[in-house]
Amino acid sequence: WLTGTYDAALDIVYWPTGNPCPDYDGRQRLGDNLYSDSILALDARSGRLKWYFQFTPHDVWDWDAQQPPVLIDAAWRGQPRRLLLHANRNGFFYVLDRTSGALLLAQAFVKNLTWARAIGSDGRPVLNPGQEPTPTGTKVCPAVEGASNWFSTAFSPATGLYYVQTLESCSIYTRAPDTWRPGRSYYAGSTRQPRGERGQKFLRAIEIQSGAIAWELPQTGPANSWGGVLASAGGLVFFGEDSGALMAVDATTGEPLWQFQTNAIWKASPMTYVFDGRQHIAVAAGPNILAFALRN
């Protein structure tokens, strides 16, 4: 899914890993299924494992860790620290010390979250009962798509906020017999949306010191978009809004400032570049590449 993220100062590659299989039936793979749904910190020269952090041990909900880790250097509780930020598909926002892998913070960033009530100080989820897939189906939140996913997130040093496209949704998880076959999917079950319910996308700004939501922007659309976020030094956040618009909001308050309707289902994140001394924003919208110049 995602390639690793490299820290030149520490000479470490941080690599997110996928989920175990079969996805929805954990009876054939008891235990934590170590190194699945994890961040691996690897020595860049030797490949040696320096540390790991597993977000969802014994995952039976298909919540891989393929969400982009963001590396920042910032004061933490008054002391300078090298941090790794990660809004996980399982619905919790994590702050790790990227030198040691120590957990510094884990806080829910979605409201629809039923599988666990908290993350313990040891980094392990405190599970709620009755949340595993069953033959008749179990409603679990977040949905199988995750509270977030592989699309880009962004951090602004000016605001201290971490910006994430989030999904408020749930799934009915069903377990069913399955046999592994080469070249075939191996889910041992299925998922579906609960009848009469629909998901909703929110752009959320997370205060990294506490995990609190500083502001959120609800979006209008079918909640099937996969666009990411870009924060600029000019105090703007650009993102693919669920209606199909490319939108810019105020990075401090979330106030919408500008939009351009593309009528596309987002599958890409905006990026920025400078040409002839002028900053531009570009994004892939369906089969089209759109570029916009920022006013001086």
Side-chain angles (χ1 to χ4, degrees), residues 1 9 13 82 85 97 107 121 123 129 154 159 164 185 187 189 194 204-205 212 254 265 277 285:
W1 286 93
V13 176
R82 301 180 188 272
L85 312 179
D97 182 307
Q107 185 71 32
S121 59
T159 64
V164 185
S185 297
Y187 294 112
R204 289 194 167 114
I265 298 175

Side-chain angles (χ1 to χ4, degrees), residues 108-166:
F109 66 94
V110 288
K111 298 172 184 176
N112 287 315
L113 199 156
T114 64
W115 72 283
R117 61 180 180 271
I119 303 298
S121 59
D122 59 356
R124 301 184 66 86
V126 183
L127 299 174
N128 287 322
Q131 287 288 282
E132 293 200 353
T134 61
T136 56
T138 304
K139 181 178 177 180
V140 182
C141 315
V144 67
E145 294 87 353
S148 189
N149 213 294
W150 53 262
F151 28 83
S152 297
T153 59
F155 173 75
S156 170
T159 64
L161 299 176
Y162 183 56
Y163 306 97
V164 185
Q165 278 280 60
T166 67

Side-chain angles (χ1 to χ4, degrees), residues 55 67 85-95 105-113 115-116 119 142 145-149 151 153 162-169 200-207 210-216:
F55 301 101
Q67 299 79 57
L85 312 179
H86 187 83
N88 192 263
R89 191 167 165 176
N90 68 16
F92 287 93
F93 165 67
Y94 296 81
V95 180
L105 178 74
Q107 185 71 32
F109 66 94
V110 288
K111 298 172 184 176
N112 287 315
L113 199 156
W115 72 283
I119 303 298
E145 294 87 353
S148 189
N149 213 294
F151 28 83
T153 59
Y162 183 56
Y163 306 97
V164 185
Q165 278 280 60
T166 67
L167 173 63
E168 291 284 357
S169 186
Q200 185 175 14
K201 299 297 289 283
F202 290 81
L203 175 63
R204 289 194 167 114
I206 303 174
E207 206 290 310
S210 65
I213 305 300
W215 55 259
E216 66 178 22

Side-chain angles (χ1 to χ4, degrees), residues 3 7 20 37 42-43 60 120 126 164 168 216 228 230 249 282:
T3 55
D7 183 336
D37 297 359
L42 306 172
D43 182 88
V60 291
V126 183
V164 185
E168 291 284 357
E216 66 178 22
L230 169 72
V249 300

Side-chain angles (χ1 to χ4, degrees), residues 13 16 37 106 113 126 149 156-157 175 217 220 224 226 235 252 260 268 272 281 294:
V13 176
D37 297 359
L113 199 156
V126 183
N149 213 294
S156 170
R175 190 184 73 218
L217 183 66
T220 56
N224 63 351
W226 298 77
T252 301
F260 182 89
T272 188
I281 302 296
L294 273 63

Side-chain angles (χ1 to χ4, degrees), residues 190-212:
S190 61
T191 63
R192 68 182 189 275
Q193 196 166 44
R195 182 176 299 176
E197 295 186 13
R198 54 171 294 181
Q200 185 175 14
K201 299 297 289 283
F202 290 81
L203 175 63
R204 289 194 167 114
I206 303 174
E207 206 290 310
I208 68 165
Q209 300 289 333
S210 65

Side-chain angles (χ1 to χ4, degrees), residues 23-45:
D23 295 42
Y24 307 123
D25 189 351
R27 297 174 301 173
Q28 303 177 46
R29 48 175 178 82
L30 301 179
D32 285 352
N33 311 135
L34 194 57
Y35 305 128
S36 63
D37 297 359
S38 300
I39 289 286
L40 308 181
L42 306 172
D43 182 88
R45 295 181 181 273

